[in-house]
Amino acid sequence: QSVLTQPPSASGTPGQRVTISCSGSSSNIGSNYVYWYQQLPGTAPKLLIYRNNQRPSGVPDRFSGSKSGTSASLAISGLRSEDEADYYCAAWDDSLSGGVVFGGGTKLTVL
Amino acid sequence: EVQLVESGGGLVQPGGSLRLSCAASGFTFSSYEMNWVRQAPGKGLEWVSYISSSGSTIYYADSVKGRFTISRDNAKNSLYLQMNSLRAEDTAVYYCASSRLLGWFDPWGQGTLVTVSS
């Protein structure tokens, strides 16, 4: 199983606000930045949020990230059909084995 | 336009070797850290390896340590992944991605599929 824990699925109707959680530990989320990636069906992942809560240019402000302690969240407001995708959180892990760890991914369905 | 294009994937037998390449364009390749990230069919993302801009710092995931070797040629704007002793569980789409910090992957290439099977 993944080092970071995400719910396997989430859903919402158009216009709704949805949040996706990402739970880790003191060696990863607790001491390092969190990143969020969006993967549309059949495409490569795309950076959505960097440094916990920063949006790259071109990412709508409907997407926001937050972090508290050893957990992080991605919020999507004003849900749109094109937001239907897989979402992954990631962080560096300071443990002995180290490396970048990902969450298992959350499949977002827009009903 | 910033672009990363992977190549070198294919079908290989268990125990075999393969070398992946990633050609970069549209940015100053030598200034950026680079990574390989893979995704097994129908599964999530797994970070594989990282290399600093100069190549002096390298990290590997435990799952590939001792079998895979990351390298780069800044003069050729290229990133490589030498994969030896391949196993069925290495079957995945392999993406190259640039970074500014550990965990920050942007942009990504389109990926190249590696299938390990007899």
Side-chain angles (χ1 to χ4, degrees):
Chain A
Q1 61 274 25
S2 304
V3 174
L4 303 182
T5 301
Q6 297 179 236
S9 63
S11 63
T13 56
Q16 257 189 336
R17 183 176 187 271
V18 170
T19 61
I20 296 171
S21 62
C22 176
S23 177
S25 68
S26 58
S27 65
N28 42 65
I29 292 178
S31 53
N32 293 291
Y33 289 122
V34 177
Y35 300 84
W36 288 92
Y37 297 90
Q38 177 193 57
Q39 188 175 31
L40 297 170
T43 70
K46 166 191 163 186
L47 179 67
L48 206 57
I49 297 289
Y50 66 96
R51 287 181 177 167
N52 303 331
N53 55 19
Q54 302 299 302
R55 279 186 312 276
S57 59
V59 172
D61 59 7
R62 302 186 296 106
F63 294 90
S64 62
S66 64
K67 171 183 149 178
S68 178
T70 59
S71 293
S73 291
L74 173 71
I76 310 171
S77 60
L79 200 60
R80 304 175 68 159
S81 58
E82 56 260 41
D83 298 333
E84 188 160 291
D86 293 323
Y87 292 86
Y88 296 90
C89 58
W92 178 260
D93 193 297
D94 291 326
S95 63
L96 195 60
S97 53
V100 178
V101 291
F102 281 97
T106 298
K107 182 172 181 57
L108 175 64
T109 301
V110 181
L111 302 169
Chain B
E1 179 196 2
V2 175
Q3 196 171 17
L4 295 170
V5 179
E6 301 93 337
S7 60
L11 176 63
V12 60
Q13 291 189 336
S17 298
L18 212 54
R19 189 195 195 207
L20 305 184
S21 299
C22 170
S25 60
F27 66 105
T28 307
F29 179 74
S30 58
S31 297
Y32 284 82
E33 304 158 15
M34 296 295 296
N35 298 263
W36 288 98
V37 178
R38 67 184 180 184
Q39 186 170 35
K43 302 296 184 182
L45 301 172
E46 180 188 15
W47 170 78
V48 172
S49 185
Y50 158 95
I51 186 167
S52 62
S53 57
S54 66
S56 60
T57 301
I58 287 173
Y59 301 116
Y60 296 101
D62 285 347
S63 57
V64 306
K65 205 171 290 183
R67 301 187 298 122
F68 289 12
T69 302
I70 191 172
S71 63
R72 65 189 296 160
D73 185 336
N74 287 341
K76 294 183 177 180
N77 290 340
S78 293
L79 173 74
Y80 307 101
L81 186 68
Q82 177 66 43
M83 304 186 295
N84 298 331
S85 303
L86 283 162
R87 307 166 180 166
E89 53 265 35
D90 294 319
T91 294
V93 173
Y94 285 74
Y95 297 100
C96 65
S98 64
S99 350
R100 299 172 201 187
L101 288 175
L102 296 166
W104 182 336
F105 304 123
D106 180 55
W108 298 62
Q110 86 289 349
T112 187
L113 177 62
V114 172
T115 303
V116 184
S117 175
S118 55

